[in-house]
């Protein structure tokens, strides 16, 4: 990458630097690492990256897309402000969405409105508000989304064929998508015209939060059922978010997040191929969602290394030729676990730095959490500050005028390479055992827990400083009032879902549910040579089945429990 003259000059400068260092810091040992434990040098220069292949770095918009997916990134369109919203009842979530949209909430790839809708935990796991499991959690960290009426309260006068809608359904993503399709059709909008994304996180609650899910041997086929339907029927729909964010919140470091995400990706691609799908037809609909941690430069290098490895594996292993299969769409921007309940206003600074690192890494869409999230759900004021953070970074800093402005930095290129090397080694280790086996034997969980323990020990010893927690702590209680959800929300939601169930044609409902059970059994026993699951779910929604009732059928067929 460099001429002999440059490297010779660099070597002479290193000698002079070493002499000055010994004179000034003779007795001090430099021993630092990145947040992932990669040993650091005091500075980086051409000799540290002389053996790198410049073609791996290249220019923005060229394979392997280290420096960004497009020749120009943010110069003519901003990243997408993908601020998750949802609390209380559907009409409460709609009110917050309308407020933020009025304040400039941006659209997907510069287009129309973007609504990233958070559902409450019962709804994400596929339980209706009237289920005993849901008690005490309805509307608390999202909204209940179980019926067509819920969807109408959310979207009733919005042009959903001109919007990008993502609903965080997690385990319940298949019934959730069926609900959205049928609701759109009731308004005369065919599913082919819908733009949006299914999280397809059938694995996430179990793998990242140790919650129950479907039996692990069926998870990939259920994820593939959603991908297969959308590939054939919904050309504008993104079919999965490879969620490394959940692993990050559990404690995974930067190269672990890349490796874990790529291991899920490669296992899922193989499953989709078994179902008769061609990689170039479905991989362009995949995105990844990341976790910006506590290391500013490592966050930037992680995005760049992830893009590069994504492109290489999809091209070299899966034979992809479509550029969209090689361009990783990456959603990131904030981490709740990095925020503190002590001195919560400090979180505004933490979140600004996280958002900035995501921008410098070339994220496609960004989520900036609210500073008060350690205390409760975001207030309207806190949600607005989160949105303003992105707007100020875009409009007042001149940062977006240059694509990948840190490209060519000796440190950033060295660190990008190191993360790619470490992630590749770990990916090979996972694949030698098998993705599902690693899930079942608790490998991912153990790796994350070890990191969390080690970080906690450093915090206690004072080796890791968190301002306002173990150093510079004022001891003052926060003067911020936490947001509270109206306690009547749960009662109202229960009454609504019970009324919905009572008013339907019970004969038609029973017939649709029996058909769903038969099709699900076929998927379980004969997959991939079985009828598709989504048409049966759509038929059940048309018979006014709720999300929880459809999930009860799927749980009964595919099993439900803990992976390890």
């Amino acid at each position: 990458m460099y001429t002999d003259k440059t490297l010779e000059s660099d070597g002479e400068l290193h000698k002079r630097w070493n002499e000055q260092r010994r004179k000034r810091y003779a007795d001090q040992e430099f021993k630092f690492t990145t947040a992932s434990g990669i040993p650091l040098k005091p500075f980086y220069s051409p000799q540290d990256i002389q053996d790198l292949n410049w073609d791996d770095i290249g220019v923005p918009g060229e394979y392997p897309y280290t420096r960004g997916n497009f020749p120009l990134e943010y110069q003519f369109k901003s990243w997408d402000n993908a601020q998750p919203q949802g609390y209380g009842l559907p009409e409460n979530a709609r009110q917050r969405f309308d407020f933020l949209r009025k304040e400039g909430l941006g659209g997907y790839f510069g287009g129309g409105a973007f609504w990233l809708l958070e559902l409450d935990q019962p709804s994400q796991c596929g339980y209706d508000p009237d289920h005993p499991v849901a008690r005490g959690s309805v509307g608390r960290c999202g909204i209940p989304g179980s019926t067509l009426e819920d969807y109408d309260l959310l979207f009733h006068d919005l042009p959903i064929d001109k919007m990008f809608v993502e609903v965080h359904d997690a385990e319940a993503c298949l019934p959730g998508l069926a609900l959205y399709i049928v609701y759109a059709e009731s308004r005369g909008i065919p599913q082919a015209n819908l733009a949006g994304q299914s999280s397809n996180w059938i694995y996430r609650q179990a793998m990242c939060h140790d919650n129950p899910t479907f039996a692990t041997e069926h998870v990939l086929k259920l994820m593939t059922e959603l991908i297969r339907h959308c590939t054939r029927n919904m050309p504008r729909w993104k079919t999965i978010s490879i969620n490394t964010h959940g692993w990050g919140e559990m404690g995974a470091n930067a190269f672990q997040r890349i490796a874990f995400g790529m291991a899920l990706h490669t296992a899922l691609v193989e499953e989709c191929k078994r179902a008769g799908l061609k990689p170039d037809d479905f991989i362009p609909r995949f995105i990844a969602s990341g976790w910006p941690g506590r290391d500013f430069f490592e966050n930037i290098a992680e995005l760049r290394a992830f893009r590069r490895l994504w492109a290489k594996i999809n091209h070299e292993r899966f034979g992809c030729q479509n550029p969209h299969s090689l361009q990783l769409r990456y959603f990131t921007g904030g981490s709740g676990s990095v925020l503190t309940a002590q001195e919560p206003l400090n979180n505004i600074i933490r979140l600004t730095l996280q958002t900035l690192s995501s921008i410098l890494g070339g994220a496609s869409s960004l989520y900036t959490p609210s500073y008060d999230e350690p205390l409760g759900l975001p207030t309207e004021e806190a949600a607005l500050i989160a949105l303003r953070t992105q707007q100020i970074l875009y409009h007042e800093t001149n940062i977006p005028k240059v694509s990948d402005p840190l490209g060519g930095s000796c440190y950033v290129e060295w660190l990008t390479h190191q993360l790619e090397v470490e992630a590749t080694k770990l990916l090979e280790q996972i694949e030698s055992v098998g993705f599902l086996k690693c899930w079942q034997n608790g490998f991912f969980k153990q790796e994350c827990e070890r990191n969390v323990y080690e970080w906690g020990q450093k915090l206690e010893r004072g080796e890791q400083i968190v301002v306002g927690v173990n150093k510079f702590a004022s001891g003052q209680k926060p003067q911020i009032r936490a947001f509270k959800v109206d306690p009547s929300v749960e009662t109202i939601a229960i009454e609504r879902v019970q009324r919905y169930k009572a008013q339907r044609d019970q004969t038609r409902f029973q017939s649709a549910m029996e058909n769903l059970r038969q099709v699900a059994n076929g998927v379980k026993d004969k997959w991939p040579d079985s009828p598709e699951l989504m048409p049966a779910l759509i038929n059940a929604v048309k018979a006014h089945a709720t999300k929880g009732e459809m999930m009860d059928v799927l749980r009964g067929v595919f099993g439900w429990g803990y992976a390890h």
Side-chain angles (χ1 to χ4, degrees):
M1 281 179 48
Y2 295 98
T3 64
D4 290 342
K5 183 177 180 181
T6 298
L7 293 172
E8 182 180 345
S9 175
D10 187 42
E12 290 298 321
L13 291 170
H14 268 262
K15 290 178 184 177
R16 286 162 51 188
W17 175 85
N18 266 316
E19 290 172 3
Q20 293 180 46
R21 181 187 65 82
R22 280 194 295 268
K23 288 178 183 178
R24 185 163 183 147
Y25 308 103
D27 300 326
Q28 291 180 267
E29 182 184 13
F30 183 91
K31 193 174 182 181
F32 297 99
T33 69
T34 68
S36 296
I38 297 172
L40 289 172
K41 295 171 59 177
F43 74 96
Y44 290 82
S45 67
Q47 64 183 251
D48 295 296
I49 59 172
Q50 63 176 311
D51 295 326
L52 300 188
N53 181 355
W54 182 255
D55 288 341
D56 274 352
I57 300 170
V59 296
E62 287 289 329
Y63 179 87
Y65 305 103
T66 305
R67 305 193 63 189
N69 290 333
F70 308 109
L72 297 176
E73 283 293 332
Y74 306 136
Q75 288 91 336
F76 298 115
K77 71 166 190 66
S78 76
W79 54 86
D80 310 310
N81 345 98
Q83 298 296 103
Q85 304 137 46
Y87 71 91
L89 296 165
E91 54 266 40
N92 302 133
R94 175 61 187 276
Q95 183 181 26
R96 177 68 63 87
F97 171 74
D98 288 343
F99 165 73
L100 289 174
R101 192 176 178 200
K102 176 174 158 288
E103 296 296 335
L105 186 69
Y108 197 75
F109 293 124
F114 185 134
W115 195 347
L116 202 168
L117 182 64
E118 289 288 353
L119 301 181
D120 61 25
Q121 277 295 303
S123 194
Q124 286 192 35
C125 296
Y127 294 103
D128 292 334
D130 60 344
H131 194 287
V133 168
R135 298 300 160 83
S137 298
V138 176
R140 298 300 173 194
C141 293
I143 66 160
S146 292
T147 69
L148 291 171
E149 290 179 356
D150 291 333
Y151 278 67
D152 190 53
L153 288 166
L154 286 165
F155 301 113
H156 56 91
D157 58 354
L158 291 174
I160 57 174
D161 55 336
K162 296 179 175 62
M163 293 173 59
F164 188 97
V165 175
E166 179 181 354
V167 181
H168 281 176
D169 280 303
E171 271 72 13
C173 58
L174 284 157
L177 178 59
L179 277 163
Y180 190 58
I181 289 170
V182 175
Y183 169 71
E185 289 178 346
S186 74
R187 290 181 48 184
I189 301 169
Q191 58 180 303
N193 290 2
L194 296 174
Q197 177 182 312
S198 293
S199 58
N200 211 351
W201 289 344
I202 296 174
Y203 63 93
R204 181 177 183 262
Q205 296 287 359
M207 199 177 298
C208 300
H209 303 299
D210 208 21
N211 289 339
T213 189
F214 296 107
T216 51
E217 64 267 27
H218 299 306
V219 165
L220 290 177
K221 72 176 68 166
L222 288 171
M223 295 168 71
T224 300
E225 280 293 303
L226 188 148
I227 294 166
R228 178 161 62 176
H229 176 84
C230 295
T231 300
R232 293 173 176 173
N233 300 284
M234 303 179 73
R236 302 175 65 203
W237 199 263
K238 306 292 183 187
T239 56
I240 187 172
S241 171
I242 305 290
N243 190 291
T244 65
H245 184 278
W247 278 308
E249 296 282 40
M250 273 183 67
N253 65 36
F255 64 80
Q256 287 172 335
R257 295 192 292 271
I258 298 172
F260 294 176
M262 287 305 305
L264 171 59
H265 170 69
T266 56
L268 188 56
V269 171
E270 294 293 352
E271 198 77 356
C272 288
K273 287 170 63 180
R274 285 186 61 209
L277 300 177
K278 297 178 181 178
D280 266 336
D281 291 339
F282 64 86
I283 291 179
R285 320 279 201 85
F286 286 14
I287 73 163
S289 54
W291 184 84
R294 298 174 174 86
D295 190 319
F296 185 83
F297 285 103
E298 196 168 57
N299 295 341
I300 297 166
E302 179 186 351
L303 266 72
R304 302 170 90 251
F306 205 158
R307 269 198 305 270
R308 186 150 78 202
L309 195 56
W310 179 274
K312 287 181 177 180
I313 286 178
N314 287 337
H315 178 59
E316 295 169 9
R317 185 187 303 190
F318 298 122
C320 293
Q321 300 298 318
N322 183 349
H324 296 304
S325 300
L326 311 179
Q327 296 165 333
L328 175 64
R329 271 73 172 176
Y330 198 89
F331 163 57
T332 185
S335 160
S337 63
V338 172
L339 308 183
T340 65
Q342 301 94 326
E343 302 183 23
L345 289 174
N346 295 343
N347 294 331
I348 297 175
I349 302 162
R350 294 184 178 105
L351 291 165
T352 301
L353 290 169
Q354 286 188 337
T355 304
L356 177 58
S357 71
S358 299
I359 293 166
L360 293 173
S364 306
S365 55
L366 293 179
Y367 158 45
T368 302
S370 299
Y371 72 88
D372 59 353
E373 287 191 16
L375 306 177
L377 291 174
T379 62
E380 190 172 274
E381 177 201 41
L384 182 58
I385 290 173
L387 177 59
R388 292 288 187 255
T389 301
Q390 292 193 30
Q391 291 168 333
I392 290 169
L393 286 169
Y394 185 75
H395 292 288
E396 297 188 18
T397 63
N398 228 33
I399 291 169
K401 300 300 186 289
V402 175
S403 299
D404 189 33
L406 296 179
S409 154
C410 294
Y411 176 41
V412 170
E413 297 300 353
W414 174 86
L415 187 52
T416 299
H417 175 71
Q418 292 301 312
L419 288 176
E420 181 190 7
V421 169
E422 294 298 325
T424 300
K425 287 194 294 189
L426 182 54
L427 176 60
E428 290 171 352
Q429 178 186 344
I430 294 167
E431 292 188 325
S432 70
V433 177
F435 175 78
L436 288 180
K437 282 280 189 188
C438 286
W439 179 6
Q440 291 165 337
N441 66 25
F443 172 78
F444 301 112
K445 186 169 179 283
Q446 291 161 13
E447 291 292 296
C448 294
E449 287 175 345
R450 179 165 49 250
N451 294 342
V452 170
Y453 176 78
E454 291 173 356
W455 187 84
Q457 292 293 297
K458 289 178 181 178
L459 198 68
E460 290 184 8
R461 293 192 298 264
E463 297 170 13
Q464 173 69 55
I465 302 300
V466 177
V467 174
V469 177
N470 66 342
K471 196 168 186 177
F472 312 115
S474 67
Q476 297 177 356
K477 290 186 177 181
Q479 299 301 308
I480 297 166
R481 291 188 64 182
F483 183 82
K484 301 290 185 183
V485 175
D486 189 327
S488 68
V489 161
E490 184 164 309
T491 301
I492 295 170
I494 290 171
E495 290 173 352
R496 285 178 177 177
V497 77
Q498 289 179 343
R499 183 170 61 248
Y500 186 83
K501 294 174 181 179
Q503 292 176 344
R504 65 193 171 200
D505 181 334
Q506 299 300 331
T507 302
R508 183 186 178 193
F509 164 73
Q510 292 295 342
S511 175
M513 298 305 280
E514 181 56 33
N515 175 64
L516 175 58
R517 188 173 291 105
Q518 290 177 9
V519 172
N521 275 304
V523 172
K524 175 188 174 186
D525 298 330
K526 300 176 182 177
W527 198 89
D529 302 317
S530 57
E532 293 185 25
L533 192 56
M534 277 301 299
L537 288 164
I538 290 170
N539 181 56
V541 173
K542 289 178 178 177
H544 282 205
T546 66
K547 180 187 289 179
E549 290 169 327
M550 290 183 282
M551 281 293 289
D552 283 343
V553 171
L554 299 183
R555 278 188 278 260
V557 172
F558 295 105
W560 188 260
Y562 295 92
H564 46 76

